[in-house]
Amino acid sequence: IGAAYLIPTQVGWGKFQPYVRYQKFNGDGSASLDVKEYDLGLNYIIDAHNARLSAVYTNNKTETFDTVNKFTVGLQLQF
C-alpha cells in the first residue's frame, strides 16, 4: 500500500513528492519469515521518470530478528 502527492509548486528545476509505503512479505519454505516494512520518503522530480533524487527512511520488522532502520539516498537518470 502506498500514497504519494506531487506538490504542484516548482522549486528550482523540479517538484517535491512526499510519499509513504507499507509492504508485507510472506516467505516460502521451511525457513520462511514474515517481513513488514514501512517507508517514508521524499522525491525531487526533475524530469518525470528521467531524472529524480530521492531520500527514504525505512523501518523493517521481521518475526525473529530485531528491527532494522535505514536511510537511503538515490539518484535516477535515464537517457
Side-chain angles (χ1 to χ4, degrees):
I1 298 173
Y5 178 71
L6 183 60
I7 298 171
T9 305
Q10 185 152 339
V11 178
W13 292 330
K15 299 177 182 178
F16 287 101
Q17 181 187 47
Y19 71 92
V20 294
R21 177 173 49 201
Y22 168 76
Q23 299 178 81
K24 184 175 180 184
F25 307 97
N26 296 320
D28 294 332
S30 61
S32 67
L33 294 175
D34 287 341
V35 179
K36 295 178 183 176
E37 193 167 283
Y38 305 88
D39 297 332
L40 179 61
L42 181 67
N43 293 323
Y44 181 64
I45 310 294
I46 300 167
D47 185 19
H49 294 291
N50 294 323
R52 73 174 163 181
L53 299 168
S54 62
V56 184
Y57 166 75
T58 302
N59 179 280
N60 183 294
K61 297 179 182 181
T62 61
E63 294 176 341
T64 58
F65 298 109
D66 292 333
T67 299
V68 175
N69 296 303
K70 62 183 174 181
F71 184 74
T72 307
V73 176
L75 169 65
Q76 177 173 312
L77 295 173
Q78 297 187 84
F79 299 96

